[in-house]
Amino acid sequence: MAQILDSTKLRRELHPLAEIGMDVKNTSAYVIRRLKEIGIDAHRVGETYGVTGYIDSGAPGPVIALRADMDALPFQQNGKTVAIHACGHDGHMAMLLEAASRLVGKIRRGKVKLIFQPAEEPITGAQALIKEGILDDVDIIIGAHVRPVQDLKPGTLCPSVCHTSSGHVHVTIHGKSSHAARPHLGVNAIYVATAIVNAVAQIHMNPENVWSVKPTQLCADDGAFNVVPATATLCFDFRGQTNELVKSLTEQMNRIFKNTAEAYGATVDVKYDVICPAANLDPDITEELAQCIRDTAGADRLAPGCGGGGEDFHFYKLAKPSIKNGYFGVGTGVTPGLHKINMTMDDTLLPMGSAVFVKFVLNHLG
Ligand SMILES: [Zn+2]
Ligand SMILES: [Zn+2]
């Protein structure tokens, strides 16, 4: 009889291991050890601390990837940076390990590919694993996230989490310094920055979509209160429900940055951070996940899809559009919310998430 891992217990072991970004060395070693215990030949993905391994039926068939993220978040506590699992990724690893233990020896065709991914929070982990070829043999990929009480009542699940695309753009305005008594000899970078802020606030996208853009940083200071500042830096945070919407939004912003600066006789440097793609879930997979939730938890525990936040999981579909993908939410009573230093959850509800992974795989490969 194969050993069944208990996600509640595993989450409590993983919680204090919390590590940040790509540097999840101890977490990686823990996951590999647990997978080896249940007979899965797990190993690191290239030089990263990501972990992968197969449950192989030995027969031909599709490859279904199940993905959990591994990293915690940095917080300041008593003047020190500490890592805390405040986004529930400890729970995600635990759910996937339990699901793996329940699937060993149970599939009759194809393979299950387990993917434990570092650096979800800085949105670099999925791309690092994609570069290592993690998607090469994958036909379907499924992910999940624990949800705060505001999104899902504890003990319920939703078949889709429609993360928005999100990004940041940094704008540096180059004007011309002058004595404050001779403003006509300068180009005041503050005027240019505020004109850009006002113009961006007048962008209108189709209100049927969820989207937003707002300035989050503004700095202009040439070191003296009687000098017209030559330089200002600005940052905008932007979000949108689809990748197409965000593309159009950034095109409009770029026109505003360039043309507004030009109108004032200034120039701009524009630098985008990596844009996290929007969820582009396959409706048939979402419907299958809804049925898995009905079958494992009961129809009364199936909640409608929720939204909010970003997830670098969506780089997988973006990198390989032929993959089918799904992403479900698990109501584990996260309070007061994700990314809160004092975040807690009811980890006795994690087996519900494991059950959905298991049911989905067995429907395809059992
Ligand atoms: Zn997070
Ligand atoms: Zn997260």
Side-chain angles (χ1 to χ4, degrees):
M1 178 76 186
Q3 185 194 351
I4 299 296
L5 298 175
D6 171 358
S7 49
T8 304
K9 189 170 153 266
L10 298 183
R11 189 257 171 172
R12 291 174 193 180
E13 289 175 357
L14 281 159
H15 191 72
L17 285 183
E19 294 170 292
I20 294 166
M22 294 297 283
D23 296 324
V24 292
K25 186 177 177 189
N26 297 325
T27 310
S28 176
Y30 176 95
V31 169
I32 289 174
R33 181 164 60 79
R34 285 295 187 192
L35 289 171
K36 288 196 165 159
E37 272 171 22
I38 55 172
I40 295 170
D41 181 22
H43 56 84
R44 284 170 56 186
V45 182
E47 296 292 302
T48 77
Y49 285 116
V51 175
T52 191
Y54 290 101
I55 305 168
D56 190 348
S57 67
V63 176
I64 299 183
L66 306 178
R67 175 272 203 176
D69 39 15
M70 306 167 84
D71 55 325
L73 285 155
F75 289 93
Q76 289 300 313
Q77 228 175 21
N78 305 324
K80 282 199 318 212
T81 303
V82 290
I84 298 175
H85 267 301
C87 201
H89 300 182
D90 48 352
H92 303 165
M93 290 182 277
M95 282 194 297
L96 195 48
L97 286 167
E98 178 177 331
S101 72
R102 292 184 183 281
L103 286 166
V104 169
K106 298 281 165 51
I107 64 165
R108 283 194 235 159
R109 59 188 207 103
K111 291 179 202 170
V112 178
K113 185 171 195 172
L114 302 160
I115 301 175
F116 292 84
Q117 179 213 299
E120 189 286 320
E121 297 293 351
I123 64 164
T124 52
Q127 295 171 95
L129 300 197
I130 290 165
K131 246 188 236 148
E132 295 288 343
I134 198 82
L135 294 178
D136 290 355
D137 58 351
V138 173
D139 299 297
I140 300 176
I141 186 164
I142 305 293
H145 208 295
V146 294
R147 303 308 302 168
V149 283
Q150 295 86 354
D151 285 11
L152 279 183
K153 221 169 73 186
T156 65
L157 300 108
C158 68
S160 61
V161 183
C162 291
H163 298 107
T164 57
S165 169
S166 58
H168 301 101
V169 56
H170 305 273
V171 184
T172 305
I173 296 150
H174 304 286
K176 194 177 163 202
S177 175
S178 71
H179 192 298
R182 298 180 185 84
H184 57 289
L185 299 179
V187 176
N188 192 328
I190 292 178
Y191 287 142
V192 185
T194 52
I196 286 176
V197 168
N198 286 322
V200 167
Q202 289 167 46
I203 292 177
H204 293 285
M205 306 296 291
N206 186 336
E208 282 171 16
N209 295 303
V210 174
W211 70 279
S212 73
V213 56
K214 76 290 293 179
T216 51
Q217 290 176 323
L218 169 57
C219 182
D221 180 357
D222 272 7
F225 50 75
N226 53 4
V227 170
V228 166
T231 309
T233 54
L234 251 175
C235 178
F236 290 93
D237 171 289
F238 53 91
R239 290 158 196 266
Q241 193 61 70
T242 66
N243 295 323
E244 295 70 39
L245 180 147
V246 165
K247 184 163 177 282
S248 159
L249 180 62
T250 55
E251 283 166 3
Q252 292 189 56
M253 284 197 289
N254 290 341
R255 275 204 302 275
I256 288 170
F257 300 150
K258 182 170 169 287
N259 295 335
T260 307
E262 214 170 271
Y264 282 80
T267 58
V268 279
D269 290 325
V270 177
K271 194 182 144 286
Y272 283 86
D273 293 337
V274 173
I275 297 176
C276 189
N280 181 11
L281 303 174
D282 292 283
D284 51 339
I285 300 289
T286 298
E287 189 36 56
E288 282 184 43
L289 286 169
Q291 191 56 44
C292 292
I293 293 168
R294 284 186 206 102
D295 292 345
T296 57
D300 55 333
R301 288 175 183 265
L302 173 65
C306 60
E311 231 291 17
D312 85 338
F313 176 84
H314 305 297
F315 277 109
Y316 293 120
K317 176 82 174 178
L318 194 69
K320 189 176 174 185
S322 65
I323 305 187
K324 293 265 193 178
N325 80 134
Y327 195 101
F328 63 97
V330 187
T332 53
V334 170
T335 54
L338 296 168
H339 290 206
K340 298 278 190 189
I341 192 166
N342 55 345
M343 177 274 217
T344 60
M345 68 164 132
D346 180 357
D347 56 16
T348 64
L349 295 169
L350 291 171
M352 293 189 320
S354 304
V356 173
F357 278 124
V358 170
K359 180 74 180 153
F360 183 87
V361 168
L362 292 179
N363 284 353
H364 285 261
L365 309 180

